[in-house]
Amino acid sequence: MQSGPPAPPFRPPKRTQPSNNKEKDINLSGSPHPNHPNMSQTRSSANESMGFKGQLGSVSRARLHCVVSEEDKIPYIGRKGIPTQNVLAICDFDMLFTYFVAGWPGSVHDNRILKDAMEDPKKYFPHPPEGKYYVVDVGYPNMKGFLAPFKGERYHVPDFRRSTQPPNGFYEVFNYSHSSLRNVIERTFGVWKKRWRILSIMPSFPLETQKKLVAATMAMHNYIRRHALEDLEFDKCDADPYYIPEVEGDVDIGGNPVTTLEEHDGSMDDFSMESIRYNIATSLMSR
């Protein structure tokens, strides 16, 4: 969701036309948080002051426990040996979901889900306009409209914070700043999952109902963010930019939170994005 003039008042999310695939996709939109009317502009300005001009938000995936029939279970089995569904989501820097696709089996790679959403016109993916981009982790290519970190270097904020060694050198300085920016989606997923515990202990609903629960809880998450006078988890996130809620029973816990475990091979990397990444890293090193 781009910063700029306030959007019209909140409207309930409009269901997109169903695609031929069974995955559920939806665009979520609405007005800024009423208690912080300039939040988007303020955070966007702060991000740009770090050198990340043109950022729109962050793209990542979350894995959720799901219930499927025995005959359909195999592709849904993830690394922890339990059935999960993959949810691809985009959030802005106000911790609002702006788009998601739910229902992919847990074994499917993140980049395949993103590629399908981008290429299928019925998925209504919000492609970044010229000069804009989403920040993504190493599981996605550094392709046009998507800014990824440098592979093979320290990346995640918790890794830096646990270490006595500060970010060192061209690649680590960039990765630390990139991760600090991208962790908004980890925090957003954390608040969402902690509030709606049904996502971690999914009842035996039909899979289509489970996907509808993703849509409903994301819409309510956005509504609370925009309209709640007080909210404990959002208040903690606003007070501490590194706070990520811990969710008991979360199938994403273990390793780096809500991030991809596989690195992309670089075959889809784009020269223009490599130039943007290099220029940002150079600017950060000169400070």
Side-chain angles (χ1 to χ4, degrees):
M1 185 179 293
Q2 301 181 40
S3 60
F10 175 81
R11 299 182 303 273
K14 183 178 180 181
R15 291 279 300 277
T16 58
Q17 293 297 318
S19 63
N20 292 329
N21 295 325
K22 294 183 179 180
E23 295 75 38
K24 181 172 293 296
D25 54 279
I26 195 167
N27 224 308
L28 300 169
S29 61
S31 60
H33 193 292
N35 301 314
H36 305 278
N38 296 315
M39 188 185 293
S40 296
Q41 292 87 341
T42 300
R43 290 181 177 167
S44 180
S45 298
N47 296 339
E48 290 186 4
S49 70
M50 295 169 58
F52 291 86
K53 297 180 180 179
Q55 32 67 37
L56 294 173
S58 182
V59 177
S60 191
R61 70 100 182 99
R63 286 197 178 102
L64 303 177
H65 175 258
C66 71
V67 180
V68 292
S69 63
E70 286 296 325
E71 58 267 28
D72 295 329
K73 184 177 290 187
I74 295 300
Y76 287 87
I77 300 296
R79 288 175 176 265
K80 291 195 173 184
I82 59 175
T84 57
Q85 66 162 307
N86 264 329
V87 178
L88 173 75
I90 302 175
C91 77
D92 65 16
F93 294 104
D94 293 342
M95 300 181 67
L96 294 169
F97 291 110
T98 58
Y99 178 84
F100 81 91
V101 177
W104 281 86
S107 63
V108 178
H109 191 277
D110 304 21
N111 190 50
R112 178 186 167 190
I113 302 172
L114 175 62
K115 187 172 183 290
D116 178 83
M118 293 175 62
E119 294 179 353
D120 185 349
K122 294 180 181 179
K123 295 290 178 67
Y124 300 100
F125 186 83
H127 294 271
E130 189 70 29
K132 303 290 186 179
Y133 55 82
Y134 299 114
V135 288
V136 296
D137 70 12
V138 292
Y140 300 102
N142 194 49
M143 61 184 179
K144 189 172 183 180
F146 299 84
L147 184 66
F150 291 107
K151 296 191 290 287
E153 305 288 337
R154 276 196 300 172
Y155 176 65
H156 296 281
V157 168
D159 294 340
F160 288 104
R161 300 193 78 194
R162 285 191 296 262
S163 173
T164 57
Q165 179 68 33
N168 181 38
F170 188 85
Y171 301 112
E172 282 197 357
V173 167
F174 174 86
N175 278 7
Y176 177 75
S177 296
H178 184 283
S179 182
S180 298
L181 191 65
R182 198 197 67 84
N183 84 341
V184 66
I185 197 158
E186 297 180 357
R187 288 144 52 78
T188 303
F189 279 146
V191 170
W192 172 56
K193 290 181 177 182
K194 189 160 188 176
R195 173 172 287 112
W196 311 109
R197 297 302 306 280
I198 192 173
L199 299 171
S200 300
I201 47 174
M202 187 67 69
S204 299
F205 295 136
L207 187 58
E208 188 63 27
T209 301
Q210 296 175 54
K211 290 184 283 186
K212 289 177 180 178
L213 281 170
V214 173
T217 54
M218 282 188 172
M220 289 187 286
H221 168 100
N222 283 5
Y223 187 89
I224 291 169
R225 181 57 164 166
R226 296 188 188 104
H227 298 283
L229 295 176
E230 294 182 4
D231 182 84
L232 180 61
E233 292 302 324
F234 279 131
D235 289 346
K236 288 179 180 178
C237 288
D238 289 337
D240 180 358
Y242 298 110
Y243 171 72
I244 299 176
E246 295 183 1
V247 183
E248 184 179 354
D250 186 1
V251 294
D252 264 323
I253 291 177
N256 294 311
V258 298
T259 57
T260 52
L261 298 174
E262 305 87 355
E263 292 191 359
H264 189 265
D265 63 9
S267 61
M268 295 176 62
D269 288 356
D270 178 76
F271 177 79
S272 65
M273 294 307 297
E274 179 60 32
S275 178
I276 289 173
R277 185 166 63 178
Y278 180 87
N279 289 338
I280 293 173
T282 301
S283 173
L284 291 169
M285 288 295 294
S286 67
R287 299 182 182 188

